[in-house]
């Protein structure tokens, strides 16, 4: 940039600014400004032509007056005239004035564009930079239309100076963000990627920002940037700080560029090329190693720069979710930050660990820090850090630690900040329900929750506990006894009265045999709370009273007296008055049989997604809720379950019903009293738990099936990129582009499965007419039943919606259904097709076997058509823990001590389908140094692996890590499909 000469000081401007600062009052300031405006206006309108210096000075004064908050309605033309000056300082002031004061609707925009075009064509780097800065600062559509096609050519031209390339890249980035549709994609996109190899790191930094934004919208066009980004990152992290002296910040080499390169790599999955992937892994390991080194400076800038690179590297490791070693190391590194004295580091560590907790490779490592997180919850001063600690506890929760985490959350709830109490209540309710093997614990937890934070317990929470108690006979008596005892406290929250009224009204007879909880005692206890409650709760209690008349005829007269009192029959609230009149009349005229029919016990509710979880997602916002997956794999890959499976089934007979809807219609004899229980014009929660009186969707889906000849969506390529990544795991991102992210969480029991599909809008624009459908070819339709619940047709910018798919395996299959998504974005119809990761192995039931039973069954499945064997080269380095995790994630039980060779892996399981069950035995034999014979044929090489039963080697010329996979099942098609799926994972 040219140096400003001493004569450019503009003494008049300095005097004016000094006068303004010396003003004693607002009135004096306005008076001085008005005087100056009058002087400037007279100068501009005078007959004497002003020189460039005077124009610059007066334009600067106008700019200063505008920045003080006063309107400026003249001087724009003079500023435009300054653009044609050949002096840098005059042109600079002209561009500055235009950038600040001229809007996109100005009549002068054409003149400004002409001046900018002249400067861009001048090839003077200083003038070109000023013009590019102005375009970026204004960023209007008019400027994008005028220059969007010209700036890319400046960026990739060979004779463009480095400073101009930087400005061009950042200007193009700005236009792409404001008017992406006007920035043409062409030949320049392939050339701009090579700027990552530029010698000038400033150009590389600007180009990386541009390429990252473009790659998010068109990832396929910029795939070549992966190798260049990895190479550049490798050179940075392995170089000494003196090698990049101009770009070293407090002993950290090019931290901003490193962060941008790591962010660019997060636009893509892990590299497929083994050498490139290995080089990237080395870079990430180097960054993690440097984090362990003692600091080279005690200044905060050094630690900030170092940690910025570290956290971005950890974000990339989490994004790839493919290297167990790196994930565990990242988790351990974050664990060290949990006790760091810097609050921001503790916050970031907790936030990152929330994401790590959802990975099957690092979940167990995250759990080792549970005590530290609990301590942070108790001792942290900053409420935002405590909130992140709550999020992490929620994310790391599973069956093994659910009771501990829920107890700690309840303990913290008593002193928690008011702003996060409702969120904690929702999370405690979700965890208590999700991981409750013993539902008596669940009931105790929810009642304790109401006692501690009743004001923050939303209706969804107590609706849900009612629904669960009604659907589980084994807990009904305990719930009635517990809620009866809780109501005896002198001060009860109204939500507890609601729960007590409902449960005692339905199941009070289960505890009526005890004289301490006789019918009359139950009624008097409930009625003692009546006068303290709101109208909706009183309405619910009246419904409970009429239920008591059916359950306990001995208290009929007492209840009728209450209903007959003036306070009920002449109540000012019409709803309470109507209930009292109708219930009293019903109890007087109806026979015992009619009363029993009308007031019979509520039937079980159809299972559906918990509305508590939906409420938490809405409260937290898109992308902010940590995943918890009931079928989350542990570090060894096994699905978490109680230690005694049979005991679990006995204590929770409806466990499968929890996972999958029963599709059972509500009995026609369900109580009309309960159906009418509500305030005027609405349905009261006493009857309609979770909107159960809404119109069932079965009829609608039936019509769709019958009239399915509607036009098919346009043919699009089916995305299968991440399909095989889900063979051994149940949750993750299956598809992502610049508009939409699709995540999955799956759970399977025997021949039934459920997939939760999360659609995330990555843009700031609303998706319209959003619809989905699941397509299967004719054969697959007979083998696999897929029922998709409806999805919200509108998705707001930055929001996320959920869809549930219920799956039934009828018979064994090889193909997978396709999920078709269609929506409108910016007026354009978008069509996406994704192959759903529904594989045959998802319907495995692990089977434990002794060594004797295994080999006996192995011999029984000895027919040639029952065995499939495959010998293949290892795609990844052999790791025993990873191999175990993948086999367990595949769905079979891993049998230790069965194979005579301890290096081999043996598993057993049963594939469940509606028609039949197919037993499966597998044996995986690794050989870390298998020798391979090379046979030469003309101009090609064919590798033929030769392994004996003990994987003995033959004389060869090369060494490889090899596997032999053997599967035996009672059905040949099942053997072949399982072998194909599992062999791709190693």
């Amino acid at each position: 940039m040219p140096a400003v000469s001493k004569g450019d000081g503009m003494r008049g401007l300095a005097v004016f600014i000094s006068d303004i600062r010396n003003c004693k009052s607002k009135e004096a300031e306005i008076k001085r400004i008005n005087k100056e405006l009058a002087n400037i206006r007279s100068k501009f309108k005078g007959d004497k032509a002003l020189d460039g210096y005077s124009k610059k000075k007066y334009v600067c004064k106008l700019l200063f007056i505008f920045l003080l908050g006063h309107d400026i309605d003249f001087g724009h033309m003079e500023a435009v005239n300054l653009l044609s000056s050949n002096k840098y300082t005059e042109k600079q002031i002209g561009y500055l004035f235009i950038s600040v004061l001229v809007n996109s609707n100005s009549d002068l925009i054409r003149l400004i564009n002409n001046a900018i075009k002249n400067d861009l064509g001048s090839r003077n780097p200083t003038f070109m930079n000023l013009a590019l800065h102005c375009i970026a600062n204004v960023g209007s559509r008019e400027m994008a239309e005028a220059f969007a096609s010209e700036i890319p050519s400046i960026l990739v031209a060979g004779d463009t100076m480095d400073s101009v390339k930087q400005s061009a890249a950042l200007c193009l980035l700005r236009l792409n963000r404001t008017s992406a549709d006007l920035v043409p994609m062409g030949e320049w996109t392939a050339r701009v990627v090579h700027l990552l190899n530029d010698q000038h790191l400033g150009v590389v930094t600007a180009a990386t920002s541009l390429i990252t934004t473009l790659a998010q919208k068109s990832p396929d066009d910029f795939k070549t940037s992966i190798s260049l980004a990895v190479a550049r990152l490798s050179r940075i992290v392995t170089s000494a700080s003196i090698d990049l002296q101009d770009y070293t910040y407090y002993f950290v080499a090019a931290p901003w560029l490193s962060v941008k390169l790591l962010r660019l790599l997060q636009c893509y999955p892990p590299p497929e090329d083994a050498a490139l992937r290995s080089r990237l892994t080395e870079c990430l390991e180097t960054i993690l190693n440097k984090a362990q080194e003692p600091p080279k400076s005690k200044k905060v800038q050094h630690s900030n720069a170092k940690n910025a690179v570290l956290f971005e590297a950890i974000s990339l490791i989490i994004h790839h979710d493919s290297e167990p070693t790196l994930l565990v190391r990242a988790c351990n590194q974050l664990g060290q930050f949990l006790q760091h004295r810097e609050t921001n580091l503790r916050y970031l560590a907790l936030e990152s660990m929330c994401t790590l907790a959802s990975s099957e490779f690092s979940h167990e490592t995250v759990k080792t820090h549970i005590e530290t997180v609990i301590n942070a919850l108790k001792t942290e001063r900053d409420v935002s850090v405590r909130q992140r600690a709550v999020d992490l506890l929620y994310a790391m929760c599973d069956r093994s630690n659910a009771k501990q985490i829920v107890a700690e959350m309840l303990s913290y709830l008593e002193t928690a900040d008011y702003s996060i109490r409702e969120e904690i209540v929702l999370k405690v309710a979700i965890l208590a329900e999700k991981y409750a093997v013993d539902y008596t614990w669940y009931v105790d937890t929810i009642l304790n929750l109401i006692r501690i934070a009743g004001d923050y317990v939303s209706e969804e929470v107590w609706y849900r506990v009612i629904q669960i108690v009604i659907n589980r006979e084994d807990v009904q008596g305990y719930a009635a006894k517990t809620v009866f005892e809780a109501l005896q406290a002198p001060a009860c929250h109204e939500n507890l009265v609601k729960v007590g009224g409902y449960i005692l009204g339905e199941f009070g007879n289960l505890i009526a045999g005890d004289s301490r909880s006789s019918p009359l005692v139950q009624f008097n206890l409930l009625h003692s709370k009546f006068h303290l409650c709101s109208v909706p709760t009183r309405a619910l209690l009246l419904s409970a009273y009429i239920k008591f008349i059916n359950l306990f005829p001995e208290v009929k007269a007492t209840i009728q007296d209450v209903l007959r009192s003036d306070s009920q029959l002449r109540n000012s609230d019409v709803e309470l008055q109507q209930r009292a009149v109708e219930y009293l009349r019903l109890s007087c005229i109806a026979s015992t049989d009619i009363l029993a029919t009308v007031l019979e016990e509520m039937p079980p509710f159809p299972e559906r997604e918990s509305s508590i979880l939906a409420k938490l997602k809405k409260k937290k916002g898109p992308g902010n809720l940590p995943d918890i997956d009931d079928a989350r794999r542990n570090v060894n890959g096994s699905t978490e379950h109680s230690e005694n499976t049979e005991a679990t089934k006995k204590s929770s007979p409806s466990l499968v019903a929890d996972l999958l809807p029963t599709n059972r219609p509500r009995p026609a004899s369900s109580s009309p009293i309960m159906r009418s229980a509500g305030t005027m014009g609405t349905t009261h929660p006493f009857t309609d738990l979770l909107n159960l009186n809404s119109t069932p969707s079965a009829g609608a889906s039936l019509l769709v099936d019958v009239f399915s000849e509607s036009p098919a969506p346009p043919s699009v390529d089916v995305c299968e990129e991440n399909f095989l990544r889900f063979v051994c795991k149940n949750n993750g991102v299956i598809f992502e582009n610049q508009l939409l992210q699709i995540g999955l969480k799956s759970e399977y029991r025997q021949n039934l499965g459920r997939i939760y599909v999360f659609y995330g809008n990555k843009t700031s624009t609303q998706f319209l007419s959003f619809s989905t459908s699941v397509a299967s070819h004719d054969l697959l339709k007979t083998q696999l039943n897929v029922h998709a619940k409806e999805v919200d047709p509108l998705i707001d910018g930055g929001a996320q919606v959920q869809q549930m798919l219920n799956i039934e395996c009828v018979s064994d299959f090889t193909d997978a259904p396709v999920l078709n998504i269609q929506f409108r974005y910016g007026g354009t119809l978008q069509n996406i097709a994704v192959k759903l990761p529904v594989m045959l192995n998802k319907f495995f039931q692990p089977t434990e076997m002794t060594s004797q039973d295994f080999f006996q069954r192995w011999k029984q499945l000895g027919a040639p058509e029952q065995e499939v064997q495959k010998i293949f080269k290892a795609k990844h380095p052999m790791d025993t823990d990873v191999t175990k995790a993948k086999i367990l994630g595949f769905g079979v039980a891993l049998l230790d001590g069965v194979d005579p060779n301890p290096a081999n892996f043996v598993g057993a399981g049963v594939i469940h389908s509606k028609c039949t069950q197919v037993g499966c035995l597998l044996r995986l034999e690794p050989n870390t140094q298998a020798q391979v014979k090379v046979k030469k044929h003309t101009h090609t090489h064919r590798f033929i692996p030769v392994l004996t039963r003990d994987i003995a080697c033959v004389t060869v010329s090369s060494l490889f890590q090899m596997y032999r996979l053997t599967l035996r099942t009672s059905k040949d098609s099942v053997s072949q499909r399982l072998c194909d799926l599992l062999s791709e994972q190693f």
Side-chain angles (χ1 to χ4, degrees), residues 264-303:
L264 170 60
L265 292 171
Q266 290 176 51
C267 298
Y268 296 95
E272 296 179 359
D273 181 68
L276 186 61
R277 189 166 181 169
S278 175
R279 191 173 185 184
L280 176 58
T281 302
E282 288 177 7
C283 291
L284 296 173
E285 287 177 343
T286 303
I287 294 172
L288 292 174
N289 291 336
K290 285 185 176 181
Q292 300 290 339
E293 295 175 359
K296 297 180 180 179
S297 172
K298 294 182 179 180
K299 293 189 176 181
V300 68
Q301 292 91 337
H302 171 72
S303 59

Side-chain angles (χ1 to χ4, degrees), residues 442-510:
Y442 170 76
V443 172
D444 289 338
T445 300
I446 299 299
L447 293 182
N448 202 15
L449 195 63
I450 295 173
R451 178 187 62 80
I452 294 172
D455 290 337
Y456 299 91
V457 175
S458 61
E459 290 189 332
E460 286 83 1
V461 174
W462 76 265
Y463 289 0
R464 191 65 177 166
V465 70
I466 293 296
Q467 182 181 9
I468 288 173
V469 169
I470 286 181
N471 285 13
R472 287 173 174 78
E473 294 183 5
D474 58 320
V475 81
Q476 290 167 358
Y478 180 81
K481 177 184 176 183
T482 306
V483 81
F484 173 79
E485 293 172 351
L487 285 172
Q488 292 177 353
C492 293
H493 194 275
E494 190 168 334
N495 281 331
L496 182 59
V497 177
K498 293 175 183 177
V499 174
Y502 202 117
I503 291 180
L504 293 179
E506 292 292 327
F507 311 114
N509 59 307
L510 299 178

Side-chain angles (χ1 to χ4, degrees), residues 671-733:
S671 170
I673 295 299
M674 297 307 156
R675 264 192 248 113
S676 65
T679 55
M680 296 299 289
T682 63
T683 304
H684 196 274
F686 187 77
T687 7
D688 191 10
L689 296 189
L690 303 171
N691 302 319
L692 293 177
N693 283 332
S694 58
T695 307
S697 60
S701 62
L702 192 59
L703 288 175
V704 172
D705 290 339
V706 174
F707 302 105
S708 59
E709 306 205 43
S710 55
S715 176
V716 293
D717 293 334
V718 178
C719 176
E720 302 183 20
E721 184 177 357
N722 296 323
F723 180 79
L724 289 177
R725 292 183 64 187
F726 282 79
V727 171
C728 295
K729 70 174 187 176
N730 283 340
N731 61 301
V733 176

